[in-house]
Amino acid sequence: MRTTRLAASAVAALAVLAGLSGCAKDEQDHSAHTSSTTAVPTTAAPTKLTGSSAAPLPPPSPTHPPQPALEDVNCGQVTGGNGAGADVIVFASAAGRAGCTEAINVVSDYLGVPRDGDALAVDGWICQPQPDPAVRHICVNQGLTIGLRGDAAPASPKPPAPTTIRTVDPTKPPIPTTSNVAPVPPPVVDDVNCGPVTDAGGATRTVIAVGTADGRPGCTEAITVATTYVTTIAPSDSVVVQGWQCNSQPDSQVPQVCSKDGLVIALRAG
């Protein structure tokens, strides 16, 4: 009877040991599975960059691709008032680039009128010659530049008509100063109406080449001088135009006159 109890105890002990061994194995498998699914990946140390940049440039954005750099554009050829030709170039700059239609219009207006070498406003642009043998004239506006590559230029203004040269009549001998004979009076020179001009304020003036004992100016010169005078904005009424002294006078019929070497140009009101 005692032998049977000992055998049963031994069997029970072996069953307990087997159960403990199985639990231990299950705990080891669960621990291994947990560690494999929750392990945090190791972050590699950042690569040290060299060169002038602290970080690599980002790749181009597929939704906002980089814009191509602007380049100069040749808009075609024009002919200047001097008869020469030039290519109209719109130059690219940080401010952008002018359009060809506007560039052609600006340079055409600049070349179409006789001009001197001073800078002047043309359609909102400042146009002028420059000391560049390739691009002799440029127009600029708010950082934009239009150039004329070639010899085209505005025609030069016509020179004023020469002053009449007065000579002694060889058929009339000089009169001695001691003679009692009165000198022959000079012929009467009539005034000439040379036409109207418009001043800077929009008023009209009639240009009169006045006949005097010293002669009479030509209408071409009179119109040129009068036009420059009435369109010039000056700090006073007295202005010198091509050697003529022009100023206002207290005369309601002839409020302005210009004089030079005894010759007179009158600007008649209305």
Side-chain angles (χ1 to χ4, degrees):
M1 184 67 176
R2 185 177 180 183
T3 303
T4 303
R5 290 180 176 175
L6 289 175
S9 298
V11 171
L14 288 174
V16 170
L17 290 175
L20 292 176
S21 175
C23 290
K25 184 177 185 303
D26 289 343
E27 288 179 358
Q28 291 176 357
D29 291 343
H30 176 72
S31 176
H33 176 72
T34 302
S35 62
S36 65
T37 57
T38 60
V40 178
T42 303
T43 303
T47 303
K48 183 177 180 181
L49 301 176
T50 60
S52 60
S53 177
L57 295 176
S61 171
T63 58
H64 296 84
Q67 297 299 318
L70 291 177
E71 296 181 351
D72 301 344
V73 173
N74 187 332
C75 296
Q77 193 172 76
V78 293
T79 301
N82 62 348
D87 290 327
V88 179
I89 309 298
V90 287
F91 292 99
S93 67
R97 185 181 63 206
C100 275
T101 300
E102 182 178 15
I104 292 293
N105 290 338
V106 170
V107 299
S108 297
D109 291 344
Y110 173 59
L111 297 173
V113 178
R115 307 183 188 279
D116 54 22
D118 296 332
L120 71 162
V122 178
D123 301 339
W125 294 69
I126 300 300
C127 299
Q128 61 184 344
Q130 65 167 359
D132 186 333
V135 181
R136 298 178 181 271
H137 296 263
I138 60 171
C139 297
V140 295
N141 183 12
Q142 298 181 357
L144 305 181
T145 304
I146 304 169
L148 287 172
R149 183 174 292 162
D151 296 328
S156 300
K158 293 181 180 180
T163 304
T164 303
I165 300 176
R166 302 172 184 84
T167 59
V168 178
D169 189 347
T171 63
K172 296 181 179 179
I175 300 174
T177 56
T178 57
S179 174
N180 294 326
V181 178
V184 177
V188 176
V189 181
D190 295 330
D191 298 345
V192 173
N193 185 332
C194 296
V197 293
T198 303
D199 63 19
T204 301
R205 295 283 184 269
T206 300
V207 180
I208 305 298
V210 180
T212 66
D214 292 314
R216 183 182 62 214
C219 271
T220 301
E221 184 175 15
I223 287 291
T224 301
V225 172
T227 300
T228 302
Y229 172 50
V230 298
T231 57
T232 298
I233 306 300
S236 67
D237 290 334
S238 181
V239 178
V240 177
V241 179
Q242 298 178 10
W244 289 77
Q245 180 64 49
C246 299
N247 54 268
S248 299
Q249 63 178 10
D251 187 332
S252 59
Q253 297 297 321
V254 183
Q256 290 105 11
V257 293
C258 298
S259 59
K260 175 184 176 182
D261 299 334
L263 303 180
V264 177
I265 301 170
L267 283 78
R268 184 177 297 165

